[in-house]
Amino acid sequence: MLFRSMETIRRDLKLLAEEGRLVTVHGGAHLLSHEPSLSRRNIENAEGKVAIGRMAAEFVEDGMAILIDSGSTTLALAQALTNRSDLTVLTNSLPIGLLLSRTKTIKTVLLGGEIEPNDEAAFGLDTLDLITKYRVDLAFIGAGGISELGDFTDYSRLAAEQRARMAAAAKATYVLADHTKFSKRTPVVIPITSPIAGLITDRLPKNELAAKAAARRWTITVAGSKT
């Protein structure tokens, strides 16, 4: 019979948590079947996400029409845009839509559909159809994870397809993902076929293989510097 020490078990649980496959709790852990709630993600690496949001905002020019995906990092971008003028913003995110609707110089278009409580955003066939009716200058999308091959991945086929449609609606797309996404293992590849302007993150991961693989496919912009 194989026996594992408590220290080994704790180390294994820590590794699985870092990969986004479970959440550690007092006395044990439980598996993640879906992405953590938006409220929880908002407090995880909040400083890094603010830096990403501010960096992404530098690519937005007055007069543009942009599409902002749901998520905690894209919410940081929306917060960085509240002092801007003459923008049209499309979003499926309820928090982003509410935030930007309070800014008189920004026209906000909320993409409707079935609301996913975990993400506080619209997903589904109606949302997919609405996205195809618009053409924007830039799209800012999130990702569930980034594989060692440099692929952007997600938790479900629906989320992956919706993000791919967002990218297809834009002249250029930026993926916003903090460094923790390099260690997350999500099962569905986001089928992006349109031009990718680059990945914006807060720092490169310890896993150099993932960073190098991603760099071969996309330009990586680190908040505060460029690589």
Side-chain angles (χ1 to χ4, degrees), residues 22 38 61 74 77 90 105 110 130 145 148 151-152 171 176 182 188-189 196 218:
L22 55 75
L38 180 64
E61 300 175 3
T74 49
L77 164 61
L90 285 68
T105 54
L110 188 62
L130 281 169
E148 290 89 345
D151 291 316
F152 300 118
K171 295 177 183 176
L176 309 187
F182 283 92
V188 186
V189 174
I196 291 290
W218 325 116

Side-chain angles (χ1 to χ4, degrees), residues 10-33:
R10 289 192 189 97
R11 185 169 61 249
D12 291 345
L13 290 177
K14 182 176 184 293
L15 176 61
L16 290 170
E18 289 173 350
E19 292 180 351
R21 296 165 64 182
L22 55 75
V23 175
T24 54
V25 296
H26 181 67
H30 63 82
L31 291 173
L32 276 177
S33 59

Side-chain angles (χ1 to χ4, degrees), residues 46-224:
E47 185 177 343
K49 292 173 182 178
V50 167
I52 294 170
R54 289 174 178 168
M55 175 65 73
E58 294 183 12
F59 295 97
V60 179
E61 300 175 3
D62 289 346
M64 278 186 168
I66 66 173
L67 196 159
I68 304 179
D69 186 15
S70 59
S72 55
T73 310
T74 49
L75 178 57
L77 164 61
Q79 291 165 338
L81 294 174
T82 54
N83 63 346
R84 305 294 282 275
S85 61
D86 191 25
L87 290 180
T88 298
V89 178
L90 285 68
T91 186
N92 66 317
S93 165
L94 296 180
I96 291 174
L98 182 60
L99 173 68
L100 295 182
S101 69
R102 294 167 177 161
T103 302
K104 295 181 179 179
T105 54
I106 295 178
K107 178 181 178 181
T108 306
V109 178
L110 188 62
L111 299 169
E114 185 175 348
I115 300 301
E116 165 54 51
N118 192 63
D119 212 43
E120 299 179 22
F123 289 87
L125 294 177
D126 291 333
T127 316
L128 291 171
D129 181 60
L130 281 169
I131 293 169
T132 64
K133 310 248 188 264
Y134 293 93
R135 186 69 176 163
V136 297
D137 296 296
L138 298 175
F140 296 92
I141 66 173
I146 303 171
S147 76
E148 290 89 345
L149 299 177
D151 291 316
F152 300 118
T153 63
D154 223 321
Y155 287 84
S156 71
R157 290 181 62 187
L158 175 58
E161 178 61 29
Q162 187 157 304
R163 283 171 167 154
R165 294 267 184 108
M166 289 179 171
K171 295 177 183 176
T173 297
Y174 289 95
V175 178
L176 309 187
D178 75 340
H179 69 277
T180 65
K181 296 299 176 73
F182 283 92
S183 61
K184 282 192 168 60
R185 303 291 180 264
T186 50
V188 186
V189 174
I190 301 175
I192 300 174
T193 58
S194 53
I196 291 290
L199 164 68
I200 304 176
T201 188
D202 55 328
R203 70 174 188 261
L204 294 179
K206 294 179 181 178
N207 185 346
E208 291 302 322
L209 176 61
K212 291 176 181 178
R216 284 198 296 269
R217 299 187 61 181
W218 325 116
T219 298
I220 299 180
T221 301
V222 179

